[in-house]
Amino acid sequence: MKKLFSILLVAALATPMFAEKQTPEERATADYSTWLPQAGEFSIGFNLNPLATYVGQLFNGTAGNAMAPWNGQALQGNNIFNVNPAGSPNLISIMGSYMLSDNLAAKANIGFGINTWTQRGYVQDDAAKFLNPYSTADGLDQNKQKQIGASVSLGIEYRVGKTRPVQGVFGAGLTYGCWAVQKSDYTYFNAITEANQDPSNAGLYTGGPNPKLASSYAYLAGARCLSQYTGGGTHIVGIYGSVGVEWFVAPKIALGANVNLLLDYQWNPYRAEVWEGWNLIDQKREEITIHDQAMSDGFSFTTDNIGANLYVSFYFGN
């Protein structure tokens, strides 16, 4: 990464040095059109915000100044997407574009993060124990957990400027994202039956009984959790507009800056738990769904950041 920014620094310094050797007439008539993106080319962009923050803090005495991870922020609607939001996998994004014409481009920013892990625990074999009180047979209970964060922004951008190394860039698009969605699924070695209505388990579920079990489902013996959203997550969908500039410091290499205007709808979906137990009335195993948390939602209209508001883009193709 240091080597990359060394190249960018040399390129950035080379442009004004080259310009100094030109006469005023030559600078006024210089044509940089071959440096600019053309129809059929595509770009890959990298976030420069960590560098800007680091350099800025070098001069203000910030203690423990360190470089943040080099990744694009997929979406930051009211701080929904940060580099690594609490309770969510590390979420990075890939930003790029495809030139539909010399001035018009399709643009995308995609990010995702998925963590999965499984916890297992030994539990006695109740059936073997029933047949032989001295049996040491056992089996495994399992708790499989998932954390998910994802986002996608799709849009178009229009460029102004054909011969100078600086272009104005204006865009609009749609965006969706979610983060901190966490779910647990439980499987048990010992089944619930009429003969074993409260089987042994390995104690992997630590959330305690849902209060609604005692009030509304008291008839359910040996109730145990099969799945739950420990974090229902935050979801966002919206439309955005952007305005910015790109300065081409070398052919097909641009330093960019932009600002976004974002209108979004955000919501936290209802959270549900699935339990099983032995129905003492109907005398059969039953599964029930308990709604643990109601949905909350709202709108926001802000100037915000999609992708990276300071970035470097490399164009490839023709």
Side-chain angles (χ1 to χ4, degrees):
M1 189 58 67
K2 290 182 179 178
K3 188 176 294 185
L4 169 63
F5 285 103
S6 296
I7 295 173
L8 291 176
L9 182 60
V10 171
L13 294 176
T15 301
M17 289 173 62
F18 171 73
E20 287 177 2
K21 295 181 181 180
Q22 295 177 312
T23 66
E25 291 78 12
E26 289 173 331
R27 287 199 299 269
T29 59
D31 187 352
Y32 292 88
S33 58
T34 57
W35 291 30
L36 307 179
Q38 300 173 351
E41 295 182 340
F42 66 94
S43 74
I44 299 175
F46 299 91
N47 181 19
L48 293 182
N49 291 349
L51 177 63
T53 301
Y54 178 77
V55 172
Q57 291 179 345
L58 283 177
F59 303 101
N60 64 12
T62 299
N65 187 23
M67 196 81 75
W70 290 98
N71 56 352
Q73 292 171 276
L75 177 65
Q76 193 182 330
N78 290 350
N79 293 320
I80 284 180
F81 283 99
N82 293 313
V83 173
N84 190 11
S88 184
N90 187 40
L91 187 62
I92 67 173
S93 69
I94 301 170
M95 53 188 295
S97 63
Y98 178 77
M99 299 300 299
L100 303 173
S101 70
D102 290 353
N103 299 102
L104 188 66
K107 189 173 184 178
N109 191 289
I110 300 172
F112 66 91
I114 301 173
N115 288 337
T116 63
W117 66 96
T118 302
Q119 181 184 14
R120 299 178 179 88
Y122 284 102
V123 61
Q124 73 174 22
D125 186 333
D126 286 351
K129 197 76 171 179
F130 177 79
L131 296 174
N132 176 13
Y134 300 102
S135 173
T136 59
D138 56 19
L140 285 173
D141 285 356
Q142 179 174 284
N143 171 18
K144 182 175 290 187
Q145 301 184 47
K146 292 177 284 189
Q147 287 183 334
I148 301 172
S151 77
V152 58
S153 296
L154 302 174
I156 58 173
E157 62 181 22
Y158 184 78
R159 296 172 170 271
V160 178
K162 298 181 179 180
T163 60
R164 309 306 298 163
V166 176
Q167 285 190 314
V169 183
F170 306 89
L174 303 174
T175 186
Y176 165 78
C178 65
W179 72 275
V181 179
Q182 182 170 330
K183 186 183 180 186
S184 295
D185 293 297
Y186 300 89
T187 55
Y188 301 93
F189 177 77
N190 294 306
I192 291 179
T193 63
E194 184 175 11
N196 190 10
Q197 298 177 8
D198 190 10
S200 303
N201 67 80
L204 299 183
Y205 176 77
T206 59
N210 191 297
K212 292 184 179 180
L213 285 172
S215 59
S216 302
Y217 303 98
Y219 60 87
L220 210 60
R224 59 189 185 183
C225 188
L226 294 177
S227 68
Q228 63 174 166
Y229 282 96
T230 53
T234 299
H235 300 252
I236 176 173
V237 61
I239 58 176
Y240 73 89
S242 66
V243 57
V245 295
E246 286 191 1
W247 172 37
F248 285 82
V249 297
K252 310 302 181 182
I253 301 177
L255 298 177
N258 63 31
V259 175
N260 297 279
L261 191 65
L262 177 66
L263 172 63
D264 64 67
Y265 170 69
Q266 303 178 34
W267 74 96
N268 299 92
Y270 72 85
R271 195 169 65 197
E273 296 180 353
V274 178
W275 292 71
E276 69 170 348
W278 185 260
N279 189 317
L280 297 174
I281 299 174
D282 297 333
Q283 291 298 302
K284 66 178 182 179
R285 174 188 167 277
E286 181 180 343
E287 290 187 12
I288 60 171
T289 299
I290 300 176
H291 292 153
D292 187 45
Q293 176 179 296
M295 187 180 89
S296 58
D297 61 342
F299 286 92
S300 68
F301 185 51
T302 60
T303 52
D304 222 317
N305 176 37
I306 296 174
N309 54 0
L310 293 174
Y311 60 93
V312 57
S313 286
F314 299 86
Y315 290 84
F316 306 89
N318 295 335

